[in-house]
Each structure stands twice: as C-alpha cells, then as structure tokens.
C-alpha cells in the first residue's frame, strides 16, 4: 500500500507506523458500500484515536498476524512487512510504499460465485487521481494469446 509521509516532521499515517513497528499489517479491500467509512479513516487524527470506532467499523481477529482486520470488508489480506520504500520528496510531503508478503486471506462467501470472486457482488473501489475514485463494476476476461 502507499501512504503519505512528511519526512521533516516524521508525521505518518497509522498504517505506515504499524507496518514499520510491528512488521505486520492487513489490507482490507474497500467496497462501494464502505466508501464513507474509508474516507473517515483517512483523516489525520492522533495515534491514540480508535479509527475503527470513529468510522463505525468492527475489528475482527486475524489468523496469522496480530493486527485486526475490518469485519465489514469482504476481502482482507493478512501481511508481513517485507520492505518500506520512502519515495523522494522535494516538497516535504512525500509517500511511502509498504510492500508485504500475504500470509492469510479472508474472502466473504457472499461475494463468491462458482468458487471465484464475483466483481458485480464485490464492487471494490479503485483510486484514480487527485481525490477521485471509481467502482470496479465492469470486469471482463481477456486471456493472453498463445505464442
């Protein structure tokens, strides 16, 4: 995942702090239904603020990492931190890229069809540019050609 970072002040988002300090994190895939809660958790609040409670979300236990996942998210990936890359910034407001190894996956049965994730049921959000997002609701198959 990517997160904002202010190198001069060491100001970071909680997800970045947690991945760095504990060596673990959870990627909870946001859906159209959870977009407002996701936006609430993006506020720059103090570390001691319970963002689950603030956004009206329910923490759920993971199997392989200590970090909680979001119970309302239909897909969660339990991860071990592999590498954190601080991207250079000339403005004092940069980004970090946190790379992890997926060690556990949670997928809600409610978004499965014939054993596969049904994108029409899932409707995950995707970040575009600026403050724009889109809903993935028009997935299609396109297999690569044979050599």
């Amino acid at each position: 995942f990517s997160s904002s970072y202010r190198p001069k002040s060491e100001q970071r988002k909680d997800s970045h702090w947690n991945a760095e300090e504990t060596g673990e994190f959870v990627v909870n895939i946001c859906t159209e239904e959870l977009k407002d809660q996701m936006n609430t958790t993006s506020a720059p609040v103090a570390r001691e603020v319970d963002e689950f409670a603030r956004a009206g979300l329910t923490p759920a236990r993971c199997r392989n990492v200590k970090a909680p996942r979001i119970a309302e998210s239909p897909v969660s990936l339990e991860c071990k931190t592999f590498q954190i890359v601080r991207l250079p910034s000339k403005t004092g407001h940069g980004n970090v890229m946190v790379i992890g190894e997926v060690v556990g996956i949670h997928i809600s049965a409610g978004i499965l069809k014939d054993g596969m994730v049904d994108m029409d049921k899932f409707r995950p959000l995707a970040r575009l540019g600026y403050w724009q997002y889109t809903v993935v609701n028009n997935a299609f198959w396109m297999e690569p050609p044979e050599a």
Side-chain angles (χ1 to χ4, degrees):
F1 69 89
S2 176
S3 181
S4 62
Y5 173 66
R6 296 183 189 263
K8 292 179 183 175
S9 67
E10 286 293 312
Q11 181 181 357
R12 313 173 205 190
K13 295 292 292 169
D14 288 348
S15 296
H16 173 197
W17 277 113
N18 294 336
E20 195 159 49
E21 289 180 358
T22 69
E24 301 177 340
F25 61 95
V26 178
V27 174
N28 298 284
I29 307 297
C30 186
T31 61
E32 181 178 33
E33 186 178 314
L34 295 171
K35 69 183 180 349
D36 294 327
Q37 292 91 328
M38 182 228 28
N39 195 43
T40 297
T41 66
S42 71
V45 298
R47 284 193 79 193
E48 61 272 5
V49 172
D50 182 342
E51 293 185 55
F52 277 93
R54 188 170 190 268
L57 295 168
T58 311
R61 293 185 66 130
C62 288
R63 291 186 296 267
N64 303 297
V65 300
K66 292 179 184 169
R69 62 188 176 88
I70 296 172
E72 292 83 0
S73 177
V75 176
S76 298
L77 308 174
E78 299 181 21
C79 301
K80 298 279 187 177
T81 304
F82 174 75
Q83 182 178 12
I84 297 177
V85 179
R86 286 172 177 77
L87 303 173
S89 170
K90 294 180 182 177
T91 65
H93 185 103
N95 286 289
V96 294
M97 180 174 50
V98 179
I99 303 166
E101 174 190 5
V102 177
V103 296
I105 300 173
H106 301 264
I107 301 175
S108 169
I111 63 167
L112 295 176
K113 181 178 178 182
D114 299 325
M116 296 182 66
V117 173
D118 182 335
M119 296 308 266
D120 289 329
K121 293 178 182 178
F122 185 19
R123 300 182 62 83
L125 284 191
R127 178 96 183 250
L128 298 173
Y130 307 100
W131 299 113
Q132 293 178 318
Y133 293 81
T134 190
V135 175
V136 178
N137 60 1
N138 187 21
F140 56 91
W141 284 96
M142 187 165 60
E143 296 187 26
E146 296 198 20

